[in-house]
Amino acid sequence: MRATVRQAGRATLHLALSAATAFGSYIFITVLLLTAIATATVVGAFMLPETVLLIRRIAGAKRQQAGAWTGGKIPEAYQPLTGTVRERLRTAVRDPGTLTDFRWMVAYYAYGTLPVLMLPLWPLGLVVDGVWCGLLRRRAVVLPLITRLADLDAHWSTVLLKPSPKARLAVRVEELTQTRAGAIAAHGAELRRIERDLHDGTQARLVSLSMRIGLAKRAYDQDPEAARRMLDDAQTLAEEALTDLRHVVRAIHPPILTDRGLVGAVRALAAGSALDVTVTVDGLTDGHDGPRAPAAVEAAAYFVIAESLTNAAKYSGAGRAAVHLARSRTGLRVRVRDEGRGGADEAGGSGLLGMRRRIAALDGSVTVTSPVGGPTVIEVELPCVW
């Protein structure tokens, strides 16, 4: 009996919150009528986007209520209302999420009265179930009806507020547009970096090499010793130019990833770091043994780890860091943690923005947790097929 009363109490709280939401939606009818009249007269058409935003907030509150009761999350799929008044009006009218919310609100005017049905159930249930359970030791029959009302309210809300396939497609297109723009920006920045490295390093050394060889050719007949010294300098410049080219190639795609795989490359990266780095692996193997993630995924993970360790060594003041690589059913997980001072700022030029763009281009996600005082934790999810 106690468990039944406790569950009925939880259901009562859910229904009470639903009743408050329903009462708010009933009051909102006045706003809807005013918006409809203003939009029909064209003069007050600017009210429509603001009204749609209010409906989104009410629907969002109901999504949270239903999700809290069912233990699941009802996703949202809205197009952002930004731009000029005309653009906001066009988006508000064409967004499939607007139709979904409006349909739910109309239906909620009817089933939002479900909380009223629980009012007579409590006194009736305490009497009937008190005798039925307390004296006859039978299962309660009245109070569980309150839980069923809450289940019915949450189920109908979930069905009506779930985004339509068209709305999910529109949001997905918007996400892909943004990630494509980020990928193009990251690609452009990478090209500029490569051009700068080649121009400032390799190209300058090759020009100097060409000049030394030319001078050596001129001085060869008159001063062989000076020509030999110039050729020695030219050989040194050639070796330095080759070293610069190797650095450029490694920045594009580190050869060690091809030779040793992601785990081996990360262990080598940790060994060469200025920090004491601990590497743990779950479900992955060194070298070419076992399945490997696609090359683009491995390169992105390697870039994240290299950038994170570099940032930790430069800015965090930490002496230790930990890297965790894990294979999941749907992709690759990377976690980098340092025990530094924290307070990482994406706007401070720490490379986090480039990291996000690179990961977003692969449809992955980045979570940065860096409170002041530390620690800083960077978690990356990269989807892939093994």
Side-chain angles (χ1 to χ4, degrees), residues 63 74-75 100 103 156-165 167-168:
R63 285 188 180 93
I74 305 176
T100 299
R103 182 184 59 189
W156 284 350
S157 299
T158 301
V159 172
L160 291 170
L161 288 173
K162 186 180 298 183
S164 65
R168 290 196 293 268

Side-chain angles (χ1 to χ4, degrees), residues 126-327:
L126 290 176
V127 174
V128 174
D129 290 340
V131 175
W132 192 252
C133 297
L135 298 179
L136 302 179
R137 303 295 180 184
R138 300 291 181 87
R139 183 174 297 178
V141 293
V142 178
L143 289 179
L145 294 177
I146 301 176
T147 303
R148 292 182 183 177
L149 287 176
D151 290 338
L152 191 60
D153 174 84
H155 175 69
W156 284 350
S157 299
T158 301
V159 172
L160 291 170
L161 288 173
K162 186 180 298 183
S164 65
K166 185 178 180 180
R168 290 196 293 268
L169 178 61
V171 171
R172 182 59 177 160
V173 169
E174 182 67 24
E175 290 177 352
L176 290 176
T177 301
Q178 294 177 358
T179 55
R180 183 186 63 179
I184 291 173
H187 179 67
E190 188 72 7
L191 285 179
R192 288 191 297 272
R193 183 192 63 79
I194 293 172
E195 291 173 355
R196 185 175 61 251
D197 291 344
L198 291 175
H199 181 272
D200 296 343
T202 307
Q203 181 176 322
R205 295 186 191 279
L206 290 176
V207 170
S208 180
L209 171 62
S210 177
M211 292 177 62
R212 292 295 176 91
I213 293 176
L215 291 173
K217 288 173 63 177
R218 293 179 183 178
Y220 183 77
D221 293 332
Q222 300 177 1
D223 191 353
E225 289 298 326
R228 188 176 293 108
R229 288 193 300 270
M230 292 179 186
L231 289 175
D232 291 338
D233 292 341
Q235 183 179 6
T236 302
L237 288 173
E239 292 173 353
E240 292 175 351
L242 286 174
T243 301
D244 289 342
L245 283 175
R246 291 191 189 98
H247 285 309
V248 173
V249 171
R250 289 193 186 100
I252 298 173
H253 184 82
I256 194 172
L257 278 176
T258 304
D259 299 336
R260 299 177 56 182
L262 179 61
V263 176
V266 170
R267 293 191 190 279
L269 192 64
S273 175
L275 304 175
D276 180 13
V277 182
T278 303
V279 180
T280 57
V281 180
D282 183 11
L284 297 172
T285 56
D286 288 332
H288 299 281
D289 298 332
R292 291 181 55 176
V297 173
E298 287 192 342
Y302 182 86
F303 171 81
V304 166
I305 296 170
E307 187 71 20
S308 300
L309 294 179
T310 300
N311 290 343
K314 284 184 177 180
Y315 309 116
S316 72
R320 298 190 308 275
V323 177
H324 180 68
L325 296 172
R327 173 188 172 185

Side-chain angles (χ1 to χ4, degrees), residues 31-79:
V31 178
L32 289 177
L33 292 175
L34 290 175
T35 302
I37 295 172
T39 304
T41 59
V42 181
V43 178
F46 68 92
M47 294 179 57
L48 181 59
E50 303 303 326
T51 304
V52 169
L53 287 176
L54 289 175
I55 295 176
R56 289 183 180 183
R57 293 190 181 97
I58 296 174
K62 189 58 186 177
R63 285 188 180 93
Q64 292 182 354
Q65 292 175 14
W69 177 255
T70 60
K73 182 180 179 181
I74 305 176
E76 293 183 351
Y78 294 126
Q79 296 180 16

